[in-house]
Amino acid sequence: MDRQLRRWHVLATVAVLVLAAVSSLAGLFRPGHYRAAPGIVESYRMQDLTILVVGIPVLAVGLWYAMRSSPRGRIVWLGGLAYMTYMWASIAVQIPFNAFFLVYVALFGLSLFTFVGGMVTTDADAIRETLDGHLNTTLYSVALVVIGLGLGALWLSDVVPPLLSGTEPSLIEESGPQAMVTHVIDLGVVVPSIFLSAAWLFRERTWGFVFAGVELVLGATLAAPIGIMTIVFMAGDTVTISPVAAFFTFLPILVSTLLAVTYLRSMGRRPEPSTESDRGHSV
């Protein structure tokens, strides 16, 4: 496959960057933008801030290097698009209806279709070539399983006990039914995709290297908004966060951040000639 980005990939990504910046700035500075309890509004604004200072720079840097046919840049670009898809899907459903509703929908659609278009045109063999011999696939596979289990345990702890007792989750009582959107996305899409990436990488299937990299960049980019929002909730009295929930919130994002950095650094290395090959040439 051609390693160059298509023109529509670039234009759509630029549109996402611009719209995301406008929407986040409006959330931070437009009076009355969010109609919710003060504690919830504060978490929305922290979310806007992290999109501005983390999400947008990650996507912009990934786009810049992906346009120059960098395999590492391609992974960062795809991870940034996965982040934008995740965030704007959540925002479009969670945020009480306001004047930016169609902007949220446009951001979700642009991010999703650009991500899918980027994945299907990715040269998976080129990605694997940069990692062969530099990546401990067993270690990364096990780490991905740990991340998936931690994330799954976190959300299932909110859902299973109320289902067994016939009550509503405390999050719904405190924040409303939209609070479960993250549970739906993570349990229905993110956790299964993490396990799929782990299985493919363990078997050293070519696309496993791509999926694992994208998952790790997504997790690392989500570390800021999830971590900050958890801290905000723990400091306030609007939403209850137990110590166990906090532990299973921070564990996956810390592990994924560390692994994302080491994964990308591994891609930056150049394959070294083998000793046997050198001996063969010297004979």
Side-chain angles (χ1 to χ4, degrees):
M1 290 184 183
D2 186 0
R3 299 182 189 180
Q4 292 285 345
L5 297 189
R6 308 295 192 265
R7 184 179 180 184
W8 76 267
H9 290 156
V10 177
L11 294 176
T13 304
V14 171
V16 169
L17 291 169
V18 172
L19 289 175
V22 170
S23 178
S24 297
L25 287 170
L28 286 170
F29 300 111
R30 179 173 176 255
H33 187 75
Y34 297 120
R35 296 188 294 272
I40 302 298
V41 170
E42 186 179 1
S43 70
Y44 290 160
R45 287 177 175 162
M46 289 298 101
Q47 190 169 253
D48 287 324
L49 181 62
T50 56
I51 290 173
L52 281 173
V53 301
V54 179
I56 290 176
V58 167
L59 181 57
V61 169
L63 175 64
W64 176 265
Y65 285 101
M67 289 172 63
R68 285 151 182 77
S69 302
S70 164
R72 185 193 299 183
R74 185 88 177 201
I75 292 295
V76 174
W77 174 64
L78 290 169
L81 286 171
Y83 166 86
M84 289 294 184
T85 302
Y86 181 101
M87 293 299 294
W88 294 109
S90 300
I91 290 170
V93 179
Q94 285 183 329
I95 302 297
F97 185 84
N98 62 25
F100 276 65
F101 175 75
L102 290 180
V103 178
Y104 302 152
V105 174
L107 278 162
F108 167 61
L110 280 169
S111 300
L112 174 62
F113 283 102
T114 309
F115 172 72
V116 173
M119 286 294 288
V120 300
T121 56
T122 291
D123 187 343
D125 290 322
I127 301 296
R128 176 169 184 162
E129 287 173 8
T130 66
L131 291 163
D132 265 341
H134 299 308
L135 198 72
N136 186 327
T137 55
T138 301
L139 173 64
Y140 276 75
S141 300
V142 171
L144 283 168
V145 171
V146 170
I147 293 171
L149 290 174
L151 191 58
L154 170 66
W155 296 139
L156 288 174
S157 68
D158 287 338
V159 175
V160 174
L163 286 175
L164 294 176
S165 63
T167 60
E168 280 192 342
S170 59
L171 279 174
I172 292 180
E173 297 176 358
E174 296 169 341
S175 306
Q178 74 277 3
M180 304 303 291
V181 171
T182 303
H183 295 65
V184 174
I185 296 175
D186 284 357
L187 292 174
V189 179
V190 176
V191 171
S193 67
I194 290 174
F195 289 145
L196 178 63
S197 300
W200 281 2
L201 186 63
F202 183 76
R203 297 173 184 172
E204 298 193 2
R205 294 180 59 175
T206 299
W207 276 99
F209 290 85
V210 179
F211 273 67
V214 172
E215 291 283 359
L216 291 173
V217 173
L218 168 62
T221 312
L222 283 172
I226 293 176
I228 291 175
M229 288 178 68
T230 301
I231 293 172
V232 169
F233 285 142
M234 291 178 70
D237 54 6
T238 304
V239 177
T240 303
I241 303 291
S242 69
V244 174
F247 173 80
F248 281 109
T249 297
F250 287 109
L251 177 63
I253 60 179
L254 289 174
V255 173
S256 60
T257 300
L258 175 62
L259 292 179
V261 171
T262 57
Y263 176 96
L264 293 173
R265 288 185 64 187
S266 297
M267 293 186 74
R269 300 172 185 168
R270 291 287 181 268
E272 299 177 358
S274 65
T275 304
E276 291 183 4
S277 177
D278 291 344
R279 289 174 181 172
H281 286 300
S282 63
V283 173

